Coordinates of all heavy atoms in Angstrom, one line a residue:
Chain B
D166 N -145.2 -32.6 135.4 CA -145.2 -33.1 134.1 C -146.5 -32.7 133.3 O -146.5 -32.7 132.1 CB -145.1 -34.7 134.1 CG -144.4 -35.2 132.9 OD1 -143.7 -34.5 132.3 OD2 -144.7 -36.4 132.6
N196 N -147.1 -41.8 146.8 CA -147.3 -42.2 145.5 C -147.6 -43.8 145.5 O -147.2 -44.5 146.4 CB -146.2 -41.9 144.6 CG -146.1 -40.5 144.2 OD1 -147.2 -39.8 144.3 ND2 -145.0 -39.9 143.9
S204 N -147.5 -43.3 135.8 CA -146.7 -42.7 136.8 C -147.7 -41.9 137.8 O -148.6 -41.3 137.3 CB -145.7 -41.8 136.2 OG -144.9 -41.3 137.2
T205 N -147.4 -41.9 139.0 CA -148.3 -41.2 139.9 C -147.6 -40.1 140.7 O -146.4 -40.1 140.9 CB -148.9 -42.1 141.0 OG1 -147.9 -42.6 141.9 CG2 -149.6 -43.3 140.4
D206 N -148.4 -39.1 141.0 CA -147.9 -37.9 141.8 C -149.1 -37.6 142.6 O -149.8 -36.6 142.4 CB -147.5 -36.8 140.9 CG -146.4 -36.0 141.5 OD1 -146.2 -36.0 142.7 OD2 -145.6 -35.4 140.7
G263 N -151.9 -33.4 137.3 CA -150.7 -34.2 137.1 C -150.6 -35.4 138.0 O -149.4 -35.8 138.3
T266 N -149.7 -39.6 135.2 CA -149.0 -39.3 133.9 C -148.4 -40.5 133.3 O -148.3 -41.5 134.0 CB -148.0 -38.2 134.2 OG1 -147.1 -38.6 135.2 CG2 -148.6 -36.8 134.6
S267 N -148.0 -40.3 132.1 CA -147.4 -41.5 131.4 C -146.0 -41.8 131.9 O -145.1 -40.9 131.9 CB -147.4 -41.2 129.9 OG -146.5 -42.1 129.3
K268 N -145.8 -43.0 132.3 CA -144.4 -43.3 132.9 C -143.4 -43.3 131.8 O -142.3 -42.7 132.0 CB -144.5 -44.7 133.6 CG -143.5 -44.9 134.7 CD -143.7 -46.2 135.5 CE -144.1 -45.9 136.9 NZ -144.3 -47.1 137.8
P269 N -143.6 -43.9 130.7 CA -142.5 -43.8 129.7 C -142.2 -42.4 129.2 O -141.1 -42.1 128.9 CB -143.1 -44.7 128.5 CG -144.1 -45.6 129.1 CD -144.7 -44.8 130.3
F270 N -143.2 -41.6 129.2 CA -143.1 -40.2 128.7 C -142.6 -39.2 129.7 O -142.1 -38.1 129.4 CB -144.4 -39.7 128.1 CG -144.4 -38.2 127.7 CD1 -143.7 -37.9 126.6 CD2 -145.1 -37.3 128.3 CE1 -143.7 -36.5 126.2 CE2 -145.1 -36.0 128.0 CZ -144.4 -35.6 126.9
R271 N -142.6 -39.6 131.0 CA -142.4 -38.7 132.1 C -141.2 -37.9 131.9 O -140.1 -38.4 131.7 CB -142.3 -39.6 133.4 CG -142.4 -38.8 134.7 CD -142.7 -39.8 135.8 NE -142.4 -39.2 137.1 CZ -143.3 -38.4 137.8 NH1 -144.4 -38.1 137.2 NH2 -143.0 -38.0 139.0
F272 N -141.4 -36.6 132.0 CA -140.3 -35.6 132.0 C -139.5 -35.6 130.7 O -138.4 -35.1 130.6 CB -139.4 -35.7 133.2 CG -140.1 -35.5 134.5 CD1 -139.8 -36.3 135.6 CD2 -141.0 -34.5 134.6 CE1 -140.5 -36.2 136.8 CE2 -141.7 -34.3 135.9 CZ -141.4 -35.2 136.9
A273 N -140.0 -36.2 129.6 CA -139.3 -36.3 128.4 C -139.4 -35.0 127.6 O -138.5 -34.6 126.8 CB -139.8 -37.5 127.5
A274 N -140.5 -34.3 127.7 CA -140.7 -33.1 127.0 C -141.8 -32.3 127.6 O -142.6 -32.8 128.3 CB -141.0 -33.4 125.5

Side-chain angles (χ1 to χ4, degrees):
Chain B
D166 209 24
N196 286 337
S204 180
T205 66
D206 213 334
T266 51
S267 165
K268 208 172 245 184
F270 174 68
R271 193 162 165 81
F272 300 136

